Amino acid sequence: MSMKSVSFSFHLLLLLLLVMHGDGSGTEEMADDLISKGNSVLRLHSMAHDRQTEDDGTTVQSRVDPLSHMDHMDLSVMVFFTLKDLEVGNSMPIYFRKKDSSKSPRFLPRQEADSIAFSLKELPNLLRLFSFSRDSPQAKAMEATLRECESQAIKGETKFCATSLESMLEFTSSIFGSNTRFKTLATEHLTKSSTLFQNYTVLTTPEEIPAPMMVACHTVPYPYAVLYCHSQVTENRVFKVSLDGENGDKVTAVAVCHKDTTQWNRNHVSFRVLGIEPGTPGVCHFFPADNFVLVPDP
């Protein structure tokens, strides 16, 4: 089966599965995002680690100075904020990653994905399968993703790397319960722009989405689409925030605020960006458009 036909069939499959679990609103747009978007630049999902993955697949340590030295910062970390920043009229600098969907990895059919080993110990064989040299950026990205997927979850966290859409939905059902309906939340860019980093103003009172439980899924670098999904038993708050960029960009952004950060790595980039002590509660971050949150839909 060609990659084009795989993408098309999975577009229809995801529409069907999400409509079964939710009210169907926005599922077509979400399906397009899930199937067409690819690698993450900023790896926000791992609270136990502090690492970034560049577009070419190489992994680097975050380099963040205090906010007063913004000229020397990696601007892609500018996604963090605190609850008090969500006041109407408040402005904050935000980096929203934007990807060329035509160049992003595609989901494989589940049968094909399940037939390919997804294990760090199989990396040499996987590199031969995908024709990547051991020292290539792609090989380093694959290794980083496999290490991340096999790393131990932090206390109170359940995580899973989904290599197909069906396995992602099964993981979500295992968290929420097999009979629980759920819906998908994703950041939407309402205007087209190539601007990645600018000041945004909060336009209206953010809409808090009831989320007694949540699953967050993030794209990770791999030859085919893989989602790093995780859920935490600690309290989280989910918001939809209407933002207005200084160049006129309009964004409806999904944001998550974590009440308990005591289990996070003390060197987590968020603490440095916000200038707060490790373990401080109420760390929030915006989601890029190719990441998403799943919450129960009462």
Side-chain angles (χ1 to χ4, degrees):
M1 182 180 294
S2 69
M3 187 62 73
K4 182 176 181 181
S5 61
V6 168
S7 302
F8 178 73
S9 63
F10 266 64
H11 176 272
L12 296 180
L13 173 62
L14 184 60
L15 278 176
L16 174 61
L17 291 173
L18 289 182
V19 167
M20 288 170 62
H21 287 281
D23 59 7
S25 61
T27 52
E28 182 170 358
E29 291 81 2
M30 189 63 226
D32 287 333
D33 279 342
L34 285 178
I35 291 171
S36 66
K37 300 299 175 71
N39 300 352
S40 295
V41 173
L42 182 60
R43 303 283 293 283
L44 294 177
H45 51 75
S46 175
M47 300 312 176
H49 304 279
D50 187 25
R51 181 169 64 228
Q52 288 174 250
T53 304
E54 302 291 353
D55 283 339
D56 64 359
T58 57
T59 301
V60 297
Q61 294 297 321
S62 301
R63 300 177 301 278
V64 184
D65 295 327
L67 288 178
S68 59
H69 302 290
M70 189 176 294
D71 288 344
H72 303 291
M73 292 182 65
D74 180 346
L75 296 180
S76 68
V77 303
M78 299 301 294
V79 296
F80 297 101
F81 62 96
T82 60
L83 271 172
K84 62 181 178 61
D85 295 319
L86 288 182
E87 296 180 359
V88 175
N90 183 55
S91 293
M92 55 184 133
I94 307 172
Y95 181 96
F96 280 114
R97 181 178 71 248
K98 298 176 182 178
K99 290 287 186 178
D100 181 354
S101 61
S102 65
K103 299 179 181 179
S104 298
R106 309 291 182 175
F107 279 102
L108 297 180
R110 182 171 192 170
Q111 184 175 3
E112 183 176 353
D114 288 349
S115 71
I116 302 173
F118 190 79
S119 170
L120 186 60
K121 68 179 181 180
E122 294 293 332
L123 182 59
N125 294 328
L126 291 169
L127 295 179
R128 285 191 290 271
L129 175 65
F130 294 108
S131 301
F132 294 145
S133 66
R134 185 65 184 86
D135 296 326
S136 67
Q138 294 90 342
K140 293 176 182 178
M142 289 178 65
E143 181 177 358
T145 290
L146 290 170
R147 287 189 184 279
E148 189 75 28
C149 290
E150 294 182 9
S151 66
Q152 184 176 357
I154 64 175
K155 183 179 179 181
E157 178 187 47
T158 303
K159 68 176 191 175
F160 175 70
C161 283
T163 58
S164 67
L165 295 174
E166 295 99 330
S167 62
M168 178 271 290
L169 291 168
E170 286 178 0
F171 172 74
T172 303
S173 292
S174 73
I175 299 296
F176 295 157
S178 58
N179 294 322
T180 301
R181 294 163 57 91
F182 52 85
K183 59 184 178 182
T184 309
L185 306 173
T187 291
E188 296 181 75
H189 292 271
L190 306 180
T191 53
K192 291 186 177 181
S193 169
S194 60
T195 301
L196 302 179
F197 179 71
Q198 63 176 314
N199 287 319
Y200 286 87
T201 300
V202 179
L203 289 178
T204 59
T205 301
E207 176 189 359
E208 183 165 6
I209 308 299
M213 296 181 290
M214 60 163 276
V215 171
C217 291
H218 315 263
T219 55
V220 291
Y222 213 68
Y224 52 90
V226 174
L227 294 169
Y228 180 109
C229 300
H230 65 142
S231 178
Q232 295 174 311
V233 296
T234 55
E235 182 180 346
N236 301 293
R237 299 176 68 182
V238 181
F239 296 91
K240 292 179 71 174
V241 188
S242 295
L243 299 170
D244 183 21
E246 58 188 358
N247 74 340
D249 279 359
K250 306 290 185 184
V251 182
T252 301
V254 170
V256 171
C257 293
H258 303 276
K259 184 175 181 179
D260 184 1
T261 65
T262 57
Q263 298 299 315
W264 294 14
N265 188 309
R266 291 184 59 83
N267 294 320
H268 193 271
V269 64
S270 61
F271 301 136
R272 287 178 280 157
V273 170
L274 298 174
I276 59 178
E277 289 296 316
T280 300
V283 173
C284 309
H285 62 87
F286 290 107
F287 274 58
D290 59 351
N291 292 194
F292 58 95
V293 175
L294 296 153
V295 297
D297 185 8

